[in-house]
Amino acid sequence: MTVVDFDADLAWQRARSVALRPEPFGALVYHFGTRKLSFLKSKTLVAVVESLADHPTAAAALTACGVSDAQRPAYVKALADLARSQMIQARETA
């Protein structure tokens, strides 16, 4: 298993080999490389994952998607879990 340190103050993006399929409960996330299937059970989390590449940091994506300070720790944990499962990856910044 790959150990990934998730830092919300860094730039992230959905991994290139990952497909996201919207569902009424949130979304299905499939990694074509590892063949792992995950469920995102929050439409807000789906919006965050989809917008990661549009923001300078994961924290900025959380703010843009309306995640409150009280909700932030749960969302950061969810993003860290997605990073560990290689669904999202760190993005190079210029």
Side-chain angles (χ1 to χ4, degrees):
M1 181 168 139
T2 303
V3 176
V4 176
D5 289 327
F6 179 77
D7 183 345
D9 292 325
L10 297 178
W12 292 84
Q13 66 187 9
R14 186 177 74 206
R16 288 180 179 85
S17 56
V18 168
L20 197 142
R21 186 176 92 189
E23 293 289 339
F25 59 81
L28 293 174
V29 185
Y30 182 75
H31 192 295
F32 288 95
T34 63
R35 298 173 59 184
K36 181 176 174 103
L37 178 67
S38 295
F39 299 89
L40 302 184
K41 298 178 183 174
S42 160
K43 291 185 180 197
T44 302
L45 182 57
V46 174
V48 170
V49 170
E50 288 180 323
S51 71
L52 283 172
D54 299 330
H55 298 282
T57 65
L62 290 168
T63 300
C65 292
V67 176
S68 71
D69 289 342
Q71 297 170 314
R72 194 166 289 248
Y75 280 83
V76 168
K77 181 187 179 312
L79 290 172
D81 291 343
L82 289 170
R84 275 190 293 280
S85 63
Q86 302 173 23
M87 298 294 189
I88 64 172
Q89 62 189 29
R91 180 168 40 98
E92 295 290 324
T93 55

